[in-house]
Each structure stands twice: as structure tokens, then as C-alpha cells.
Amino acid sequence: MDGGTETGWEPHRIALLGGGPRAAVTVAVVALHLLGGGPRAAVTVAVVALHLLGAVETGPRGTLCASGPEPEGLEPFEGTVLDCLHEPLTVRELVRHPDVRLALALTRIPLAEDGLLGRPWLRPNRRARRRVEFWRERHPLPAVRHGLTDEDTLLAVALHGEAALRVLLPRFALRARLVERVEVTDRDTRRHTSRGGPNGAPGPFSCGGGGGGGAD
């Protein structure tokens, strides 16, 4: 333990960037996922955050695209991801996009300054892994999404990755190819579905079209 800082560390304290509680939480969970799962994991958190805001929709072959007006108060990494999604891209393509790679590099700076990334490759060190593991134990994977705020959902995805996506956002995770296969059960209580065909099946895709609506 670092003089108590390990157990006293709060995820939102990673982000001292202003913009209100939601922005702080989003920056924190992106950082957590970057520490725990690398660039793809961090991009996944940003995509989920935008999905919950209704700012992205899914299209054919696992593509994502911006939809509707840009939400207010996006933090910089979210904004970069959304800007890239004005053309249809998969998550894999997003991770490789030069603008996203630059934004990820900038996200690493405060983590390195906090001593959570080892040199010379700026990868999560043992201290970072201990912190992430502590928060996984403190915030176990929810059994259902009912009653969770969007911030709770984001934190669960940041801490538990694919397991959280399968439980909390199974339809979206499948359509966006964030997981290879999910089983959607009656416990999935999302109130909305993506625009398109029956039973939430995605319809014809158009960049900048109808909203994703934060639906699953």
C-alpha cells in the first residue's frame, strides 16, 4: 500500500479536468480501462459512454457511426472518438485511427505522472494493477442493469470488461462486436431498441442518421 493511497484512491480523482461529475467519471473509467485492458478497452469505454448518450448507432458488420446532435459536455477523449465516427468505423478501426491513438497517448500522461505506468513503454505497473484489482473487489459485477445509473454502468464496463458488457449491454455489445457472442435474456430490461427492423434488429445504416438513443 502507498501510505493508504491504494485503498483510498477514488476513480474520479484520476480526472481533475472539470466538466462536471459525468465528465470526471468518464475520464476516470477510460483511464481504468486503459490500465486494465489497453487501448481497445479504453476505446470500448468511450464507445459505451457515447452509446448511453445516444450519440452513436450501430450499422452493418460491426460498424459504428455518429448520430444526432453532439451531446454537450463531452470530455476530450469521447469527443475525439465521436469525431472519428462521422464515418462508419469498427472498434478495431477506431483503435488504429491516428486521432484516437494521439488521444490515447494524451490520456496516458496523467497516469504516468501519477506513477501508474512503467517506463520506457508506459505500460501499467504493479501499482496500477493493484489499484484496478482493489476497485474490482470494491465494485463487483452487477447481476442486472436495472437501477444502475449510466455512471455505474460505465464503471462496471471499465472494471469488468466483457463480462459487464454481456450482462448490462448485451444487444449493443453484440451489434458493435465488442463481444463475439452474447445471450440476451429476459433480464435485459432496456426500454429502447435501435432504430431499424423488428426486435431491435438494425435497419439500413446512414452516417449521422437517427439516434442510437442509448438503447441496447
Side-chain angles (χ1 to χ4, degrees):
M1 300 290 178
D2 302 328
T5 58
E6 292 292 345
T7 56
W9 179 74
E10 296 285 340
H12 67 270
R13 290 179 184 168
I14 279 182
L16 302 176
L17 303 180
R22 198 203 69 81
V25 169
T26 302
V27 175
V29 297
V30 167
L32 274 170
H33 222 167
L34 182 60
L35 290 174
R40 180 184 170 91
V43 170
T44 295
V45 168
V47 166
V48 169
L50 293 168
H51 164 69
L52 293 172
L53 290 170
V56 298
E57 61 184 6
T58 55
R61 298 178 295 280
T63 53
L64 295 155
C65 190
S67 63
E70 180 174 325
E72 296 182 1
L74 292 181
E75 58 87 19
F77 187 70
E78 285 178 333
T80 297
V81 171
L82 185 60
D83 286 345
C84 294
L85 289 176
H86 284 97
E87 60 174 321
L89 296 172
T90 65
V91 170
R92 177 178 294 183
E93 290 168 336
L94 271 174
V95 173
R96 297 173 177 174
H97 195 289
D99 291 349
V100 171
R101 293 177 66 179
L102 175 59
L104 281 168
L106 295 175
T107 301
R108 292 177 185 270
I109 292 174
L111 300 177
E113 291 175 343
D114 199 30
L116 298 174
L117 300 176
R119 299 180 185 278
W121 306 112
L122 296 183
R123 293 175 178 171
N125 56 25
R126 184 169 59 182
R127 184 182 178 205
R129 291 191 292 271
R130 284 202 308 265
R131 291 190 176 191
V132 173
E133 190 57 37
F134 169 78
W135 278 96
R136 284 176 178 155
E137 294 177 0
R138 184 161 177 172
H139 295 272
L141 177 65
V144 295
R145 189 178 174 199
H146 180 70
L148 297 182
T149 65
D150 287 352
E151 288 78 10
D152 293 333
T153 300
L154 277 174
L155 186 58
V157 171
L159 292 172
H160 301 286
E162 185 173 309
L165 290 169
R166 290 179 181 276
V167 172
L168 305 178
L169 298 165
R171 293 186 178 91
F172 175 73
L174 180 60
R175 292 196 301 264
R177 296 187 181 176
L178 301 177
V179 297
E180 291 193 5
R181 183 179 181 183
V182 297
E183 292 183 4
V184 179
T185 70
D186 291 338
R187 293 189 304 173
D188 177 28
T189 56
R190 297 305 303 270
R191 292 175 297 175
H192 308 286
T193 59
S194 291
R195 284 165 168 57
N199 301 320
F205 186 78
S206 60
C207 189
D216 187 25

